[in-house]
Amino acid sequence: MSRNIFVLTGAGVSAESGLGTFRDKSGEGIWARFDPMKLATPEGFAADPKTVLAFYDERRRNLRNARPNVAHHALAKLEMGLAARGGHLTLVTQNIDNLHERAGSRRVVHMHGELLKARCVTCEGVDEWLGDLSQNDACAYCGTAGGMRPHVVWFGETPLEMSDIYRALLRADLFVAIGTSGAVYPAAGFVAEARALLIETCEINLEAADNASLFDDARYGPASETVPAWVEETLGA
Ligand code: BV8
């Protein structure tokens, strides 16, 4: 039987690549050091664009020094392995890094946007953006300067590709959440939607997330160990 697997990843899959998570129990997470309401909301950006742009510039620089880890590579292998068996992997990530792509994943749905892209508030044009982003930068499409922002989804904004995401969830026979605290909606609600559709659910995480009780199965430990093991098992089955 060909498998149709829906995987949702969060910051935990990139933790061992050196990119920070947001809500670590250790209290070291990004949101423990920065106020998300000031740095990850449209209001925060309007109030203090320079600080918000500097926050994303630093994360863009960190990403340039980061490398995909074995968990990212395992998920790229799963995508190819399922396709070779007539199945399908839908990979949805809350992460704005490009480590899934750099590990070889071909189709990645970035529901919270992408750190290496910028968007023009005037014409909505989206362009690749690898360096620092300043208010003086001009849009490559409409030429307007002063209206560029990170192409990321802030709190209170609508996540991207939601209709495709829900359509893929309807077709899945397995839902797996990897390295996410289950704290942010609508992503945190996908497991409940999967259960309502009688889809088998599995949590792969360092430790049990807030919504752990909603999962039928769980594998705990660092993603660099749990994800490759799960992929081998899944492709071997
Ligand atoms: C929406 C992008 C409507 C930017 C992010 C009041 C007003 C307005 C909205 C709301 C409100 N109250 C609630 C809401 C909804 C709100 C929300 O959920 N708020 C929370 C705080 C309650 N959500 C929204 O606003 C969303 N929009 O609702 O629009 C709508 C709804 C449906 C359909 C259409 C429209 C938009 C949310 C997006 C916000 N943007 N990021 C940026 O990155 O700077 S969110 C931010 O948290 C991150 O980007 C990440 O995507 C997200 C979730 O975090 P996680 O990935 O789970 O990371 P976290 O650190 O939390 O957890 C890490 C996990 O990894 C842990 O479990 C840890 O144990 C584990 N781990 C650590 N190390 C390892 C590991 N696992 C494995 N191996 C390891 N080595």
Side-chain angles (χ1 to χ4, degrees):
M1 181 263 270
S2 64
R3 302 297 310 269
N4 233 317
I5 301 179
F6 185 116
V7 169
L8 170 71
T9 62
V13 80
S14 298
E16 290 163 271
S17 294
L19 297 185
T21 57
F22 293 89
R23 300 168 187 84
D24 265 347
K25 301 251 196 273
S26 60
E28 293 300 308
I30 294 174
W31 297 144
R33 288 176 286 128
F34 298 101
D35 178 357
M37 292 306 128
K38 285 205 173 68
L39 292 171
T41 59
E43 298 76 15
F45 181 60
D48 187 356
K50 271 177 73 129
T51 301
V52 172
L53 290 172
F55 172 61
Y56 286 96
D57 286 350
E58 186 197 345
R59 288 171 68 188
R60 219 173 279 113
R61 283 187 223 116
N62 290 344
L63 178 51
R64 281 206 294 271
N65 302 324
R67 296 280 171 275
N69 64 60
V70 289
H72 296 107
H73 286 289
L75 291 170
K77 183 178 172 188
L78 180 66
E79 179 185 51
M80 284 187 287
L82 287 180
R85 293 161 174 77
H88 186 75
L89 172 69
T90 298
L91 177 57
V92 177
T93 186
Q94 301 172 86
N95 302 338
I96 60 176
D97 64 55
N98 65 342
L99 297 180
H100 283 304
E101 291 87 343
R102 283 165 56 192
S105 290
R106 297 200 179 173
R107 174 77 173 111
V108 184
V109 179
H110 283 275
M111 66 180 290
H112 289 165
E114 297 178 67
L115 183 56
L116 299 185
K117 289 184 180 170
R119 185 168 80 238
C120 171
V121 298
T122 307
C123 73
E124 294 294 304
V126 174
D127 215 354
E128 186 179 54
W129 209 280
L130 306 180
D132 288 356
L133 179 61
S134 97
Q135 281 225 287
N136 309 324
D137 287 313
C139 170
Y141 299 99
C142 69
T144 311
M148 298 305 288
R149 59 163 279 182
H151 181 52
V152 297
V153 177
W154 285 325
F155 290 101
E157 295 186 322
T158 302
L160 308 175
E161 306 194 51
M162 287 305 292
S163 48
D164 286 352
I165 288 171
Y166 285 123
R167 201 173 302 124
L169 197 51
L170 284 171
R171 289 177 21 206
D173 55 54
L174 175 62
F175 171 84
V176 183
I178 300 177
T180 178
S181 64
V184 174
Y185 290 83
F190 290 169
V191 59
E193 320 259 358
R195 289 178 67 83
L197 293 162
L198 303 182
I199 296 169
E200 192 190 336
T201 57
C202 177
E203 176 187 28
I204 299 181
N205 209 341
L206 185 65
E207 53 209 355
D210 301 346
N211 57 358
S213 60
L214 295 176
F215 289 88
D216 301 316
D217 185 14
R219 319 288 175 90
Y220 294 126
S224 59
E225 292 168 18
T226 49
V227 178
W230 170 68
V231 167
E232 285 311 307
E233 189 187 303
T234 303
L235 291 179

